[in-house]
Amino acid sequence: MTSTLTIRRPDDWHLHLRDGAMLKAVLPETARHFGRGIIMPNLVPPVVTGADAEAYKARILAALPAGMDFTPLMMLYLTEETDAADVAAAHASGLVTGVKLYPAGATTNSASGVRDFDKVRGVLEKMAEIGMPLCVHGEVTDAEIDIFDREAVFIERVLDPIRRATPGLRVVMEHITTRDGVEYARSQGDDLGATITTHHLMINRNHILVGGIKPHYYCLPVAKREEHRLALREAATSGEARFFLGTDSAPHTDPNKESACGCAGVFSATNTMSCLAHVFEEEGALERLEAFASLNGPAFYGLPANEAEITLTKGDPVAFPEKLATGEGPVTLFNPGHPLHWHVTA
């Protein structure tokens, strides 16, 4: 039985670092294991322009502890007023890796997102022309659509029409949560990728709701039925190049999670690699963990894999802290509900 596993240093292709005191607290939790991260732009106010991205990147690098090596890959937040020329210039300079599409009202700090997709057509066409990826939060926000159906309806009503209308546009379906998402990704060409989170591989909607509401499992897109979790596990462990890791690690303080209207988000940066090794071992696919966590993402984005390596070793249960102290208050770490035995040892 395998007890050690050495892989290229992984990257996180969907990461929330927030800003200020929260940024300073959570950044080291990612930088400890990950070489790069796609940084979500849904701050308040959002990261809309190249100048915004440059300033935010500078704050991230200033918060990085001495001796840690981490590269933030910056994103721009797509609005109906986004300037295609500014997007292209930011990409050409190497400052910005992609653009993030939030349907307005879909998740945390998404009020500035897109309502009328015709208004962003020019930006999408420019992105297709220059090969710049569009990362999509794949949920419709129509009030009549059940929250558990939002992803499937988004694929049909929004994503597929956008891709048909914009040939050549490279798209990442972020944090897919359904069999529908897996099947759509597999039906398309190599210009479509899909990220899968740590927590969606480990929990379903019962974990949120059975035996009392578990606010620290509440996320958007919300966890779905067990059949969908199993489809995600099969996709993640398949080795297929179109699927790669995006943790969607999203810290909120406990008071903001444990309230009458709690925030959506799961903080998993600290223990993601232990969680993933657990999942891949359960699925008999440890030899494919490197592809999912370290190789497929860089290949999709046209970047080299990290030269550095990390080693995971199986042993006694890992003693993770229950909470991370931040200058804004405590943040609860994702708890899979059972011990984790894979340690990052080097």
Side-chain angles (χ1 to χ4, degrees), residues 252-266:
H252 293 284
T253 62
D254 286 356
N256 284 326
K257 291 289 292 179
E258 301 166 0
S259 69
C261 188
C263 294
V266 170

PDB file of all heavy atoms in Angstrom, residues 252-266:
ATOM      1  N   HIS A 252     -14.714  33.335   5.467  1.00  0.00           N
ATOM      2  CA  HIS A 252     -15.613  34.286   6.125  1.00  0.00           C
ATOM      3  C   HIS A 252     -15.431  34.098   7.627  1.00  0.00           C
ATOM      4  O   HIS A 252     -15.223  32.972   8.096  1.00  0.00           O
ATOM      5  CB  HIS A 252     -17.084  34.029   5.778  1.00  0.00           C
ATOM      6  CG  HIS A 252     -17.443  34.290   4.354  1.00  0.00           C
ATOM      7  ND1 HIS A 252     -17.611  35.551   3.837  1.00  0.00           N
ATOM      8  CD2 HIS A 252     -17.681  33.429   3.325  1.00  0.00           C
ATOM      9  CE1 HIS A 252     -17.947  35.472   2.559  1.00  0.00           C
ATOM     10  NE2 HIS A 252     -17.987  34.186   2.228  1.00  0.00           N
ATOM     11  N   THR A 253     -15.553  35.165   8.388  1.00  0.00           N
ATOM     12  CA  THR A 253     -15.461  35.022   9.839  1.00  0.00           C
ATOM     13  C   THR A 253     -16.665  34.252  10.366  1.00  0.00           C
ATOM     14  O   THR A 253     -17.739  34.229   9.749  1.00  0.00           O
ATOM     15  CB  THR A 253     -15.401  36.390  10.533  1.00  0.00           C
ATOM     16  OG1 THR A 253     -16.611  37.108  10.256  1.00  0.00           O
ATOM     17  CG2 THR A 253     -14.194  37.188  10.071  1.00  0.00           C
ATOM     18  N   ASP A 254     -16.482  33.613  11.505  1.00  0.00           N
ATOM     19  CA  ASP A 254     -17.564  32.815  12.083  1.00  0.00           C
ATOM     20  C   ASP A 254     -18.852  33.609  12.283  1.00  0.00           C
ATOM     21  O   ASP A 254     -19.941  33.099  11.993  1.00  0.00           O
ATOM     22  CB  ASP A 254     -17.105  32.197  13.402  1.00  0.00           C
ATOM     23  CG  ASP A 254     -16.131  31.045  13.182  1.00  0.00           C
ATOM     24  OD1 ASP A 254     -15.877  30.675  12.019  1.00  0.00           O
ATOM     25  OD2 ASP A 254     -15.616  30.507  14.194  1.00  0.00           O
ATOM     26  N   PRO A 255     -18.812  34.844  12.801  1.00  0.00           N
ATOM     27  CA  PRO A 255     -20.072  35.574  12.944  1.00  0.00           C
ATOM     28  C   PRO A 255     -20.803  35.776  11.624  1.00  0.00           C
ATOM     29  O   PRO A 255     -22.045  35.802  11.589  1.00  0.00           O
ATOM     30  CB  PRO A 255     -19.626  36.917  13.542  1.00  0.00           C
ATOM     31  CG  PRO A 255     -18.375  36.605  14.270  1.00  0.00           C
ATOM     32  CD  PRO A 255     -17.684  35.572  13.424  1.00  0.00           C
ATOM     33  N   ASN A 256     -20.049  35.908  10.515  1.00  0.00           N
ATOM     34  CA  ASN A 256     -20.692  36.083   9.217  1.00  0.00           C
ATOM     35  C   ASN A 256     -21.213  34.775   8.638  1.00  0.00           C
ATOM     36  O   ASN A 256     -22.081  34.789   7.770  1.00  0.00           O
ATOM     37  CB  ASN A 256     -19.716  36.738   8.229  1.00  0.00           C
ATOM     38  CG  ASN A 256     -19.543  38.215   8.478  1.00  0.00           C
ATOM     39  OD1 ASN A 256     -20.477  38.894   8.880  1.00  0.00           O
ATOM     40  ND2 ASN A 256     -18.340  38.715   8.286  1.00  0.00           N
ATOM     41  N   LYS A 257     -20.693  33.651   9.099  1.00  0.00           N
ATOM     42  CA  LYS A 257     -21.211  32.351   8.683  1.00  0.00           C
ATOM     43  C   LYS A 257     -22.366  31.906   9.567  1.00  0.00           C
ATOM     44  O   LYS A 257     -23.347  31.328   9.081  1.00  0.00           O
ATOM     45  CB  LYS A 257     -20.095  31.295   8.752  1.00  0.00           C
ATOM     46  CG  LYS A 257     -18.999  31.438   7.731  1.00  0.00           C
ATOM     47  CD  LYS A 257     -19.463  31.077   6.322  1.00  0.00           C
ATOM     48  CE  LYS A 257     -19.757  29.600   6.188  1.00  0.00           C
ATOM     49  NZ  LYS A 257     -20.228  29.279   4.796  1.00  0.00           N
ATOM     50  N   GLU A 258     -22.256  32.168  10.868  1.00  0.00           N
ATOM     51  CA  GLU A 258     -23.197  31.639  11.849  1.00  0.00           C
ATOM     52  C   GLU A 258     -24.221  32.705  12.212  1.00  0.00           C
ATOM     53  O   GLU A 258     -24.356  33.105  13.370  1.00  0.00           O
ATOM     54  CB  GLU A 258     -22.433  31.167  13.087  1.00  0.00           C
ATOM     55  CG  GLU A 258     -21.401  30.091  12.779  1.00  0.00           C
ATOM     56  CD  GLU A 258     -20.417  29.851  13.917  1.00  0.00           C
ATOM     57  OE1 GLU A 258     -20.547  30.540  14.961  1.00  0.00           O
ATOM     58  OE2 GLU A 258     -19.517  29.014  13.761  1.00  0.00           O
ATOM     59  N   SER A 259     -24.952  33.162  11.217  1.00  0.00           N
ATOM     60  CA  SER A 259     -25.918  34.241  11.426  1.00  0.00           C
ATOM     61  C   SER A 259     -27.241  33.888  10.770  1.00  0.00           C
ATOM     62  O   SER A 259     -27.362  32.853  10.113  1.00  0.00           O
ATOM     63  CB  SER A 259     -25.384  35.550  10.827  1.00  0.00           C
ATOM     64  OG  SER A 259     -25.360  35.481   9.415  1.00  0.00           O
ATOM     65  N   ALA A 260     -28.237  34.761  10.950  1.00  0.00           N
ATOM     66  CA  ALA A 260     -29.554  34.505  10.379  1.00  0.00           C
ATOM     67  C   ALA A 260     -29.523  34.461   8.859  1.00  0.00           C
ATOM     68  O   ALA A 260     -30.384  33.839   8.227  1.00  0.00           O
ATOM     69  CB  ALA A 260     -30.541  35.579  10.852  1.00  0.00           C
ATOM     70  N   CYS A 261     -28.538  35.107   8.261  1.00  0.00           N
ATOM     71  CA  CYS A 261     -28.370  35.065   6.801  1.00  0.00           C
ATOM     72  C   CYS A 261     -26.877  34.885   6.524  1.00  0.00           C
ATOM     73  O   CYS A 261     -26.176  35.826   6.150  1.00  0.00           O
ATOM     74  CB  CYS A 261     -28.913  36.340   6.147  1.00  0.00           C
ATOM     75  SG  CYS A 261     -28.954  36.284   4.344  1.00  0.00           S
ATOM     76  N   GLY A 262     -26.400  33.661   6.742  1.00  0.00           N
ATOM     77  CA  GLY A 262     -24.976  33.393   6.708  1.00  0.00           C
ATOM     78  C   GLY A 262     -24.370  33.468   5.323  1.00  0.00           C
ATOM     79  O   GLY A 262     -25.025  33.178   4.315  1.00  0.00           O
ATOM     80  N   CYS A 263     -23.093  33.843   5.256  1.00  0.00           N
ATOM     81  CA  CYS A 263     -22.372  33.963   3.992  1.00  0.00           C
ATOM     82  C   CYS A 263     -22.066  32.585   3.410  1.00  0.00           C
ATOM     83  O   CYS A 263     -21.873  31.614   4.134  1.00  0.00           O
ATOM     84  CB  CYS A 263     -21.059  34.717   4.198  1.00  0.00           C
ATOM     85  SG  CYS A 263     -21.267  36.443   4.659  1.00  0.00           S
ATOM     86  N   ALA A 264     -21.982  32.536   2.089  1.00  0.00           N
ATOM     87  CA  ALA A 264     -21.624  31.312   1.385  1.00  0.00           C
ATOM     88  C   ALA A 264     -20.114  31.251   1.210  1.00  0.00           C
ATOM     89  O   ALA A 264     -19.497  32.211   0.764  1.00  0.00           O
ATOM     90  CB  ALA A 264     -22.313  31.270   0.024  1.00  0.00           C
ATOM     91  N   GLY A 265     -19.538  30.107   1.564  1.00  0.00           N
ATOM     92  CA  GLY A 265     -18.103  29.945   1.360  1.00  0.00           C
ATOM     93  C   GLY A 265     -17.526  28.921   2.310  1.00  0.00           C
ATOM     94  O   GLY A 265     -17.924  28.843   3.481  1.00  0.00           O
ATOM     95  N   VAL A 266     -16.593  28.121   1.809  1.00  0.00           N
ATOM     96  CA  VAL A 266     -15.906  27.101   2.594  1.00  0.00           C
ATOM     97  C   VAL A 266     -14.412  27.397   2.550  1.00  0.00           C
ATOM     98  O   VAL A 266     -13.843  27.562   1.468  1.00  0.00           O
ATOM     99  CB  VAL A 266     -16.190  25.695   2.035  1.00  0.00           C
ATOM    100  CG1 VAL A 266     -15.291  24.654   2.694  1.00  0.00           C
ATOM    101  CG2 VAL A 266     -17.651  25.327   2.217  1.00  0.00           C
TER     102      VAL A 266
END
